[in-house]
Amino acid sequence: MSSNNPIPFGKPQISDCELDAIREVMESGMLVHGKVTPAFEEAFAERIGTKHAVAVSSCTAGLHLTLFVKDIGPGDRVAVPAMTHVATAHCVELTGATPVFVDADPLSGNMSADLLYSQDEPLAAIMPVHYLGTPCDMDRINAVAERHGAFVLEDCAIALDSDYKGRKAGNLGLAGSFSFYPVKQMTSIEGGMVSTNDDALADALRKRRAFGYNRALGDRAKPGIYDVDQLGFNYRMSEVEAAVGLAQLSRLDEFHAARASNYNALAAALSEIEELTLFPGQHETAQPSYYCLNTVLPKDGSIDRDLVMDHLKAAGIGFSVHYPGAVPLFTYYKEKYGYKEGQFPVAEWLAAQTLSLPLGPHLPEDGVNRIATALKDALVKSRSS
């Protein structure tokens, strides 16, 4: 069935399954500290293939909490991609450590393993971001980490269900942090999850996400009586969010199949356009999460992205940009560290010329055809303007 309704970039898939789960929690009266969050954690860990999963209030909270638990702070240097959401670098800044920006690989958009390898000064941690859900070159990244005596913290914000040599993202370093923001592969309204195989880290994350209490609510012999033996935050996930997440997890195979199908169809429809570079590309050892399809315009600026955006908007096609700038060239980092344009050429190219197209299960039956047709028309019109 054809539809002329606008196609948004993303839209959460909420069904009776999620609504019933919310209602059950609300009627129970146990909105935090209940049994649903541990159940969600257990199911998520099983999905990723790790021993532990620790629910938190957001992916950003998970990244920050992990760095905090690992005592990252002033004097430490942490490698982060120049092409990422600013949250990755902000988490490092918030600990007082120094983010060391690494430019992107032009074939994947991920942190360049070659440039990372060339880092001579000591690194305390490496935070690879699986750009658009395509796994980084984790063998080389882990090798660099071992050389520096550093740990690897994966930013898996949009990499849920991506696969690297038979292992899922979030199971490729010390820990990984996931996002359940509404337009991601699945949602918990807001929220995140930290995955790890490290028992001590998981225990510390659970304690420090809740103020550093020495006893969880259910472990207190006397209600309201506890000690605080370490510094912590309020980074907990509510039972309502966990209930939505657990319901969504049961539908994730369905969501992922739709994304993969939409990706294959849209990539095929756009493959004939020579000016476009498509991310994610095909990789022998890495399977992407199909979060979106990035169409990257030529470096020479021969196609005006603003005009293309205007035409897509007029056609009712939603889009996004991943990401609007190389992070070290955002005003905060540029002014603090003195970075200059031209220092991160690949990230700068992607920021200036990328357009992200939707792949989610919300696409209507004719959605792929409408997106491809609108983009082709937009390119023709932008060339003639």
Side-chain angles (χ1 to χ4, degrees):
M1 178 179 290
S2 179
S3 170
N4 292 321
N5 292 330
I7 299 175
F9 175 73
K11 181 181 179 181
Q13 300 298 288
I14 303 301
S15 68
D16 287 342
C17 181
E18 288 79 12
L19 297 176
D20 289 344
I22 292 171
R23 187 177 296 107
E24 185 175 343
V25 168
M26 296 299 288
E27 290 176 351
S28 76
M30 183 64 75
L31 305 187
V32 292
H33 302 299
K35 297 180 180 180
V36 182
T37 301
F40 182 29
E41 292 174 328
E42 183 178 351
F44 192 87
E46 183 176 355
R47 177 92 187 193
I48 300 304
T50 54
K51 290 177 66 177
H52 304 281
V54 180
V56 287
S57 55
S58 69
C59 179
T60 305
L63 294 172
H64 181 228
L65 185 63
T66 304
L67 293 174
F68 179 78
V69 166
K70 293 295 293 181
D71 293 324
I72 294 296
D76 290 326
R77 301 171 74 252
V78 179
V80 298
M83 178 45 55
T84 182
H85 190 280
V86 70
T88 315
H90 274 2
C91 291
V92 178
E93 278 285 300
L94 288 169
T95 68
T98 301
V100 178
F101 293 101
V102 180
D103 201 10
D105 182 308
L107 299 180
S108 67
N110 281 323
M111 173 190 286
S112 168
D114 289 337
L115 293 175
L116 178 67
Y117 185 83
S118 68
Q119 291 289 328
D120 292 326
E121 293 185 54
L123 296 171
I126 301 173
M127 295 177 65
V129 176
H130 304 303
Y131 182 65
L132 303 179
T134 297
C136 297
D137 187 345
M138 293 305 298
D139 286 347
R140 295 191 66 196
I141 288 174
N142 280 313
V144 173
E146 186 175 353
R147 190 183 83 196
H148 284 265
F151 66 88
V152 173
L153 172 57
E154 301 171 70
D155 185 330
C156 304
I158 50 180
L160 181 56
D161 265 359
S162 64
D163 183 280
Y164 177 80
K165 296 185 177 181
R167 297 173 66 190
K168 290 190 176 183
N171 196 9
L172 303 170
L174 174 69
S177 190
F178 293 82
S179 172
F180 303 134
Y181 185 72
V183 298
K184 300 297 171 64
Q185 286 90 347
M186 57 169 279
T187 186
S188 62
I189 305 174
E190 274 279 15
M193 191 77 76
V194 179
S195 57
T196 185
N197 292 307
D198 188 296
D199 296 341
L201 176 61
D203 182 62
L205 290 170
R206 290 190 177 100
K207 288 181 178 178
R208 294 196 173 197
R209 72 178 172 184
F211 304 106
Y213 293 148
N214 69 329
R215 290 187 181 88
L217 184 68
D219 297 331
R220 297 170 191 169
K222 297 179 181 179
I225 302 300
Y226 55 80
D227 190 15
V228 177
D229 55 8
Q230 54 195 312
L231 198 60
F233 300 91
N234 184 5
Y235 280 168
R236 294 171 302 198
M237 176 180 284
S238 75
E239 288 285 277
V240 170
E241 291 171 323
V244 173
L246 195 55
Q248 290 263 295
L249 196 61
S250 71
R251 304 172 64 201
L252 189 55
D253 286 339
E254 166 197 339
F255 296 161
H256 187 70
R259 287 181 177 276
S261 177
N262 290 335
Y263 166 81
N264 289 328
L266 186 55
L270 300 178
S271 62
E272 64 193 53
I273 305 174
E274 294 182 358
E275 297 100 323
L276 294 182
T277 300
L278 303 182
F279 286 171
Q282 299 297 324
H283 301 275
E284 293 181 1
T285 60
Q287 184 73 18
S289 66
Y290 301 113
Y291 174 65
C292 65
L293 177 61
N294 240 28
T295 58
V296 190
L297 303 177
K299 294 180 181 180
D300 61 11
S302 56
I303 298 176
D304 189 323
R305 185 176 69 173
D306 287 343
L307 289 177
V308 175
M309 287 178 165
D310 290 341
H311 289 306
L312 288 177
K313 186 175 181 180
I317 304 301
F319 56 85
S320 190
V321 174
H322 292 88
Y323 292 94
V327 176
L329 297 182
F330 284 144
T331 299
Y332 172 83
Y333 290 97
K334 189 175 182 179
E335 290 184 351
K336 180 172 181 178
Y337 295 105
Y339 291 115
K340 301 182 183 303
E341 292 183 6
Q343 287 185 258
F344 305 93
V346 178
E348 292 172 53
W349 162 51
L350 294 177
Q353 300 294 357
T354 187
L355 271 175
S356 302
L357 301 176
L359 295 178
H362 67 288
L363 295 191
E365 185 176 336
D366 63 344
V368 167
N369 181 62
R370 287 177 57 194
I371 294 168
T373 299
L375 180 59
K376 291 175 181 178
D377 290 345
L379 293 172
V380 169
K381 291 175 181 177
S382 66
R383 292 190 197 101
S384 61
S385 297

